[in-house]
Amino acid sequence: LADTPLRKAHHMFKGLLGLILFVLDVWAIASIFNSNATGRAKLIWIIVVAALPFVGLIAWYFAGPKANYNAPR
């Protein structure tokens, strides 16, 4: 099939969505790493988010450990 302008736009849109998902997954993993969860819980959540990027991100958002940026260091 020919690479029409619409097909090129579709590929660019899919690439942009992939990039956004990647950035959100990196943010989620950083948040998990900076949370107060145990080491084992952090590892499990990081594996879930990395192995299942979309589903893992949604699951982490609703149930995963969040970073505690207000805690004294």
Side-chain angles (χ1 to χ4, degrees):
L1 295 169
D3 238 3
T4 64
L6 184 59
R7 185 177 296 269
K8 286 181 182 180
H10 182 256
H11 287 300
M12 191 166 58
F13 182 70
K14 285 184 1 182
L16 181 62
L17 286 179
L19 180 63
I20 291 169
L21 180 60
F22 176 75
V23 168
L24 289 174
D25 281 342
V26 168
W27 172 67
I29 290 170
S31 182
I32 294 166
F33 188 76
N34 289 316
S35 73
N36 292 333
T38 64
R40 182 177 294 181
K42 287 181 184 183
L43 180 63
I44 290 169
W45 275 105
I46 288 171
I47 290 171
V48 167
V49 171
L52 305 167
F54 184 72
V55 175
L57 183 67
I58 302 276
W60 167 80
Y61 182 78
F62 288 108
K66 309 298 186 290
N68 188 3
Y69 295 115
N70 296 330
R73 295 188 180 230

